[in-house]
Amino acid sequence: MRRSLALLAGALLVGALAAPASAADGDEGFTIKDPRITESSGLAASRQHPGVYWTHNDSDDGAFLYAIDSATGRTVATVTMKGVGKPRDIEAISIGPNNQIYVGDIGDNDGVTWDYVWIYQLPEPKVLKDQTIRATQYVVKYSDGSRDAESLVVHPKTGRVYIIDKQEDGGHLYAGPAKLSSSGTNVFRPVAPVDMWATDAAFSPDGRQLAVRGYFGGVAYSWNDGRIKRQGQLDVPLQQQGESVTYSVDGSKIMYGSEGAESGVAAEDAPFGKSGDSDSGGGNGSSASGGGGAGGSEGNVRTGAIAVAVLVVAFVGVRRLRRRPS
């Protein structure tokens, strides 16, 4: 009987601890291994290729995008954009509806003097391999003059494109036209203040939450059809130079990236649950409302199995002590 109980306890522990994570657990952190990627400045989770993240270098590295397998940290595809000319300062990447990739050539930190910046749009490839893809180039101007920016987001439901300018004392969320035009200038207008020196931003997969990060912190906002409302602080990890952020494709994690050779991407639980709904949350930025790594019924089952195993082991140990000769 004691042996049976011990075997049961071991099986429960092994099953609970070794059970594969479900989609609700989100992705884990990883390290970008590609030696070509030394200034990863944007990050976007692929919806077509589970566990793959798109990134790019900062500044004028070229019209290149890299697909990184988060399981290994290795590049599984390099996409060269054609039809866009020579990029000046690519700073952000986002994936919108219909698996369209948007790339923000929006950096302007050398005096903030450019009259216009660019956004590139291209379809995410269905097959991950090195290839060249034609992109559409959009000319962008701000209604209130030149801006330096590193954050571009595309709403996952409406497809509308937004930019957050980068200012040390806080910037603004700028909304583009309902549909970008490749034949004229697209004017972006400020619609809401953002309390962050923003280096990147990301929508939750359901479009109900906006995460904005900086070098040393981050803020979560409920979207409210663009009338953003501050929810609380994000648990941003300390990184060498925090430059990028995205949600995991299931929305349970927020992934934070950094610049540098072999830079790391850290995974943190998304606040206020996967849906990004803060109506029932406390607004303090914690993940107490359901953003835990093993949330929901699976987490309860796993925890219960471990508890049962511990009780069985304790029971066996007590019986052995009682039978030990004095």
Side-chain angles (χ1 to χ4, degrees):
M1 177 64 179
R2 291 198 305 271
R3 185 176 181 183
S4 298
L5 287 171
L7 289 173
L8 174 61
L12 286 169
L13 280 171
V14 170
L17 298 176
S22 71
D25 288 322
D27 290 325
E28 300 300 324
F30 59 95
T31 299
I32 297 174
K33 302 292 183 62
D34 193 328
R36 297 172 297 175
I37 305 173
T38 58
E39 292 184 296
S40 174
S41 189
L43 202 62
S46 170
R47 300 187 188 117
Q48 293 192 101
H49 309 288
V52 168
Y53 288 81
W54 290 94
T55 190
H56 54 81
N57 277 317
D58 193 354
S59 303
D60 56 353
D61 172 63
F64 307 118
L65 305 177
Y66 305 95
I68 310 298
D69 179 3
S70 62
T72 64
R74 302 191 181 281
T75 300
V76 292
T78 301
V79 168
T80 303
M81 295 181 288
K82 68 177 180 180
V84 301
K86 181 177 174 58
R88 292 187 298 201
D89 191 357
I90 293 179
E91 290 286 357
I93 186 169
S94 182
I95 298 181
N98 302 315
N99 299 313
Q100 293 292 306
I101 298 177
Y102 293 77
V103 181
D105 190 356
I106 55 177
D108 186 9
N109 59 9
D110 189 14
V112 192
T113 57
W114 290 337
D115 293 334
Y116 58 88
V117 291
W118 296 310
I119 293 173
Y120 313 129
Q121 179 186 347
L122 66 155
E124 182 184 23
K126 294 181 180 179
V127 178
L128 292 177
K129 64 178 182 179
D130 293 350
Q131 57 193 294
T132 298
I133 299 177
R134 178 169 294 278
T136 300
Q137 180 169 326
Y138 302 106
V139 176
V140 170
K141 287 188 175 183
Y142 302 98
S143 61
D144 52 357
S146 301
R147 299 277 152 180
D148 179 31
E150 296 187 4
S151 310
L152 176 145
V153 292
V154 183
H155 195 275
K157 304 300 183 182
T158 68
R160 195 162 194 163
V161 182
Y162 300 83
I163 293 173
I164 301 173
D165 65 334
K166 182 183 180 184
Q167 296 192 57
E168 190 170 353
D169 57 351
H172 282 80
L173 176 73
Y174 285 77
K179 183 176 177 58
L180 296 178
S181 170
S182 59
S183 60
T185 300
N186 298 274
V187 179
F188 278 60
R189 305 180 186 279
V191 294
V194 174
D195 186 22
M196 178 56 56
W197 189 17
T199 60
D200 202 9
F203 276 115
S204 60
D206 60 11
R208 298 171 68 183
Q209 188 177 59
L210 176 68
V212 184
R213 77 159 300 172
Y215 293 121
F216 306 109
V219 178
Y221 294 92
S222 57
W223 181 240
N224 296 324
D225 294 323
R227 300 181 297 274
I228 58 176
K229 181 180 179 181
R230 183 186 175 107
Q231 292 177 296
Q233 297 290 329
L234 292 172
D235 293 328
V236 179
L238 184 62
Q239 295 176 308
Q240 177 178 333
Q241 185 172 332
E243 288 281 349
S244 59
V245 67
T246 189
Y247 279 80
S248 62
V249 74
D250 73 342
S252 69
K253 300 285 185 179
I254 299 182
M255 314 294 289
Y256 297 96
S258 174
E259 285 193 359
E262 294 198 356
S263 59
V265 176
E268 299 289 344
D269 291 336
F272 311 107
K274 292 194 300 181
S275 69
D277 184 3
S278 66
D279 294 341
S280 60
N284 61 1
S286 72
S287 57
S289 58
S297 60
E298 182 192 359
N300 293 335
V301 170
R302 190 174 301 180
T303 302
I306 293 173
V308 171
V310 170
L311 288 173
V312 172
V313 170
F315 175 76
V316 172
V318 169
R319 290 195 60 173
R320 284 180 176 175
L321 286 172
R322 285 180 176 177
R323 295 190 178 189
R324 185 176 298 172
S326 58

